[in-house]
Amino acid sequence: KSMYKRFQPEEITYVAKSEEEIRSTVASWLRPGYEQAIANRQEQTKTNKANLDADAIARGMGASTFVTDVKNRQQNAESRDIATMESDYGATLAQHVSKGVEDETNRMLQIEEFNAQ
């Protein structure tokens, strides 16, 4: 028994990251870029609406239904763009999380194979 303990091979222990840990890590570096893009798009809409108002006032139109319709189209375009960005974010996040989980599973398999040898 003492010789067995003396020459017993050491096994490697590895604690794999959970899917939630991977998701949190990826989101921490991925989300800020999307947040900035969304903020830029919202700022673009504000600028476009202000330009439309200024142009309408300069032409003597004031608060017309045409201007309101154009501003509503601007708002709808912003909403579509933001929805597309959110969809892209979700897809990119899922892709990175899936890859991370796969990598962690492969690492665990390698450790188990090493320990079995």
Side-chain angles (χ1 to χ4, degrees), residues 33-50:
Y34 282 92
E35 291 292 336
Q36 184 62 51
I38 289 169
N40 290 346
R41 181 59 179 96
Q42 290 169 334
E43 191 60 37
Q44 179 185 1
T45 299
K46 282 182 190 178
T47 301
N48 289 346
K49 285 181 177 183

Side-chain angles (χ1 to χ4, degrees), residues 4-72:
Y4 180 74
K5 284 183 182 179
R6 185 179 212 178
F7 293 106
Q8 181 179 5
E10 288 188 37
E11 291 187 353
I12 298 173
T13 56
Y14 179 74
V15 179
K17 292 180 183 176
S18 70
E19 181 178 340
E20 188 55 40
E21 289 173 314
I22 294 168
R23 181 180 311 282
S24 174
T25 301
V26 171
S28 70
W29 58 261
L30 184 63
R31 189 65 195 178
Y34 282 92
E35 291 292 336
Q36 184 62 51
I38 289 169
N40 290 346
R41 181 59 179 96
Q42 290 169 334
E43 191 60 37
Q44 179 185 1
T45 299
K46 282 182 190 178
T47 301
N48 289 346
K49 285 181 177 183
N51 288 339
L52 285 168
D53 285 337
D55 185 53
I57 290 170
R59 294 172 188 260
M61 294 171 67
S64 72
T65 56
F66 172 77
V67 173
T68 302
D69 183 50
V70 173
K71 286 168 63 174
N72 284 338

